[in-house]
Amino acid sequence: MKGQQQLKKSKVVKIDSRKSWEHHITNATNKGYPVMVHFSAYWCMPSITMNPFFEELASTYQSVLFLNVDVDEVKEVASKLEIKAIPTFLLMNRGALVDKTVGANPDELRKRINCSIHQTHSPKSV
């Protein structure tokens, strides 16, 4: 059982291009996975300090795809989603924005993903 849990362990995917972004978002949308995105920059200390926490969330929430986007490397995506401050965390479901958190606040981020995931996994009529 422990080996299976390690195989399923989620990790943060680094997005390095618009094409990579579109691929992961499309794939998650098609499979019905929520997506949590950390918009960061290598020079932003609050972003850097949030990285281990974001990795921890990725390990905790197995049914969520976690993406990391450097706003300097993938400017087109950051601009399209109107990212004006970093770190910014977006929670998306079925390709649509569900929640946005600006700033390095681990407790708030955990609370928001918890609420959103429980709403996402509640029964809905199709």
Side-chain angles (χ1 to χ4, degrees), residues 22-35 93-95:
E22 289 171 354
H23 166 76
H24 286 287
I25 294 298
T26 300
N27 194 30
T29 300
N30 290 342
K31 292 181 178 178
Y33 291 125
V35 180
N93 195 17
R94 292 171 174 46

Side-chain angles (χ1 to χ4, degrees), residues 35 37 39 81 83 88-101:
V35 180
V37 188
F39 284 91
L81 292 169
I83 303 304
T88 293
F89 300 88
L90 299 184
L91 185 59
M92 302 173 76
N93 195 17
R94 292 171 174 46
L97 179 64
V98 174
D99 191 45
K100 181 177 187 176
T101 306

Side-chain angles (χ1 to χ4, degrees), residues 36 57 60-61 64 91 99 107-121:
M36 175 63 90
L57 285 178
T60 302
Y61 296 93
V64 179
L91 185 59
D99 191 45
D107 293 335
E108 183 67 18
L109 198 58
R110 187 182 303 277
K111 184 176 93 180
R112 289 179 180 223
I113 192 170
N114 239 340
C115 289
S116 295
I117 296 310
H118 291 302
Q119 289 173 351
T120 301
H121 286 85

